[in-house]
């Protein structure tokens, strides 16, 4: 049978399945754009509104807290309307929040805008990961890494756009309006494609409750994800401020550490699925944990911003594989209720973001940003203990083409 048979694509997978994968990839890209747009414009927003360092830290923590709550908003929306509709709604809300952040005339308005963004990105997070888990089950092989590669590509693009806007001396309102326009364009590309698999929340809104055994098996993944996002938030939320305040970089250069971090994640995530298939998830996670620890030490000791940018890229290279493999393995604990598992797992995600963001911000406000990057290096080593819980995806149920 030919690979070009009607209704079949991607080496024998149904066209609707391939379409679902494309749409999820677009949604992950949009999420990466939205998060990068917020984090890389923190120095500009702070200087524009003359915000106190402690208030800036508080706002970033509030974004993470609201994102945790937004995960459950997303869970409710998925059960009512499905993950694809939830993606659309969350992206439209995020675009509105970005615009409001850029044009906020005062402190109260910008705080409300950041809170709205946190809720939107939390709902989007659970929706895209739920959809990705269902698509990976339908494919029967590791593809989670490809989705997070798209997330990182979006992050790199948005960070470079922020740097370009600063280079052109655009006001922060103009830069964030353009970023919001990118989100709207990506949202317009999102369509619904049914999956052939009968499993998963994408096809069955009502799901069975989780048992205690699932919760006990979920805990190791939660702890790994917490540490991963302590590292991620320390680099993502504060690298631009670190370069600006500690290493005396310009507003044009300050976003480059975030761009390098995301560029590292693009490379790492592009190789994740192949590495897992060849060496297994456990070996990949252990190697990544050691790499992250060493790179964070390098970032903390950076003598100038060019070295810090390179170290941030190395952190991204190692950290890139951890979140997608963690989410994919956790979703396999109960495939028919993956959206409930992922919504609860997101609590660890945002607990890590809050912890990393708050501690880094507080240390940074007292001039101790180097310590803020050295401390997570120790936590990264602890990931070695959780590596044994990671699993490979089940073999594909799709028969080979003849």
């Amino acid at each position: 049978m030919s690979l070009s048979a009607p209704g079949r694509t991607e080496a024998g997978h149904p066209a609707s399945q391939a379409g679902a994968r494309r749409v999820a990839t677009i949604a992950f890209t949009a999420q990466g754009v939205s998060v990068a747009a917020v984090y890389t414009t923190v120095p500009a927003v702070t200087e524009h509104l003359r915000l106190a360092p402690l208030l800036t830290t508080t706002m970033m923590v509030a974004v993470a807290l609201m994102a945790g709550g937004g995960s459950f908003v997303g869970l409710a929306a998925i059960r009512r309307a499905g993950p694809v509709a939830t993606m659309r709604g969350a992206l439209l809300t995020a675009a509105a929040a970005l615009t409001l952040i850029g044009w906020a005339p005062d402190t109260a308005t910008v705080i409300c805008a950041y809170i709205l963004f946190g809720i939107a990105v939390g709902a989007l997070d659970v929706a895209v990961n739920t959809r990705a888990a269902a698509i990976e089950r339908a494919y029967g092989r590791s593809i989670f890494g490809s989705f997070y590669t798209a997330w990182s590509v979006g992050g790199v693009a948005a960070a470079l756009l922020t740097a370009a806007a600063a280079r052109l001396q655009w006001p922060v309102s103009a830069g964030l309006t353009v970023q919001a326009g990118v989100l709207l364009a990506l949202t317009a590309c999102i369509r619904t494609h049914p999956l052939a698999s009968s499993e998963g929340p994408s096809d069955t809104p009502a799901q069975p409750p989780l048992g205690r055994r699932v919760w006990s098996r979920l805990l190791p993944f939660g702890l790994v994800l917490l540490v991963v996002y302590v590292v991620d938030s320390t680099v993502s939320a504060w690298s631009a401020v670190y370069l600006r305040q500690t290493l005396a970089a310009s507003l044009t250069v300050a976003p480059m550490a975030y761009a390098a971090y995301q560029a590292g994640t693009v490379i790492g995530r592009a190789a994740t699925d192949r590495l897992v298939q060849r060496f297994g998830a456990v070996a990949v996670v252990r190697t990544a944990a050691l790499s992250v620890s060493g790179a964070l030490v390098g970032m903390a000791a950076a003598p100038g911003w060019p070295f810090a940018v390179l170290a941030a890229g190395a952190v991204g290279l190692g950290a890139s594989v951890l979140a997608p493999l963690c989410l994919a393995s956790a979703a396999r604990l109960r495939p028919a209720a993956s959206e409930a598992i992922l919504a609860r797992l997101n609590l660890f995600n945002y607990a890590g973001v809050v912890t990393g963001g708050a501690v880094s911000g507080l240390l940074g406000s007292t001039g101790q940003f180097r310590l803020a990057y050295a401390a997570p290096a120790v936590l990264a080593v602890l990931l070695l203990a959780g590596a044994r819980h990671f699993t490979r995806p089940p073999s594909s149920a799709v028969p080979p083409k003849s």
Side-chain angles (χ1 to χ4, degrees), residues 33 62 75 115 158 185 204 209 217 267 296 303 331 362:
V33 169
L75 174 60
I115 288 173
T204 310
R217 294 171 64 193
I267 297 170
L296 283 170
L362 290 172

Side-chain angles (χ1 to χ4, degrees), residues 17-259:
Q17 192 169 296
R21 183 176 182 180
R22 284 194 299 272
V23 167
T25 300
I26 291 170
F28 272 93
T29 303
Q31 187 183 21
V33 169
S34 67
V35 173
V38 165
Y39 284 154
T40 59
T41 54
V42 169
V45 171
T46 299
E47 293 182 17
H48 173 63
L49 294 176
R50 298 183 179 180
L51 304 177
L54 184 59
L55 178 59
T56 302
T57 299
T58 302
M59 287 195 306
M60 293 300 98
V61 171
V63 168
L65 290 173
M66 292 300 103
S71 294
F72 290 93
V73 173
L75 174 60
I78 289 168
R79 288 175 168 172
R80 178 176 292 272
V84 178
T86 302
M87 288 179 209
R88 291 195 197 100
L91 284 172
L92 290 174
T93 305
L98 288 180
T99 305
L100 188 57
I101 290 169
W103 290 92
D106 51 40
T107 301
T109 304
V110 82
I111 289 173
C112 291
Y114 277 121
I115 288 173
L116 179 63
F117 177 80
I119 294 171
V121 81
L124 178 61
D125 202 19
V126 70
V128 294
N129 283 301
T130 296
R131 189 62 169 167
I135 295 168
E136 185 176 79
R137 286 197 303 274
Y139 271 75
R141 57 185 172 84
S142 177
I143 61 171
F144 239 87
S146 68
F147 294 128
Y148 274 83
T149 301
W151 195 104
S152 299
V153 168
V156 172
L160 293 177
L161 181 55
T162 298
R167 178 71 175 176
L168 296 172
Q169 297 185 336
W170 287 3
V172 67
S173 57
L176 282 173
T177 299
V178 172
Q179 304 271 25
V182 173
L183 284 191
L184 292 176
L186 293 171
T187 304
C189 299
I190 293 179
R191 300 286 186 274
T192 301
H193 296 273
L195 295 175
S197 172
S198 61
E199 294 183 7
S202 59
D203 300 310
T204 310
Q207 301 299 333
L210 301 178
R212 290 184 178 179
R213 185 178 179 186
V214 171
W215 281 113
S216 64
R217 294 171 64 193
L218 183 63
L219 184 60
F221 297 112
L223 295 176
V224 169
L225 205 61
L226 187 150
V227 174
V228 168
Y229 279 96
V230 165
V231 173
D232 180 82
S233 66
T234 301
V235 178
S236 297
W238 297 109
S239 60
V241 182
Y242 174 49
L243 262 65
R244 177 71 170 161
Q245 293 184 359
T246 304
L247 301 179
S250 67
L251 282 174
T252 301
V253 169
M256 299 309 293
Y258 185 94

Side-chain angles (χ1 to χ4, degrees), residues 260-281:
Y261 174 71
Q262 292 299 340
T265 67
V266 170
I267 297 170
R269 286 169 175 170
T272 295
D273 297 325
R274 290 188 180 90
L275 290 173
V276 169
Q277 291 165 16
R278 181 167 183 179
F279 301 107

Side-chain angles (χ1 to χ4, degrees), residues 3 16 19 62 96 136 138 155 158 165 208 237 261 303 363 382 388:
L3 291 179
S16 61
E136 185 176 79
Y261 174 71
L363 288 172
L382 300 179
R388 63 187 180 87

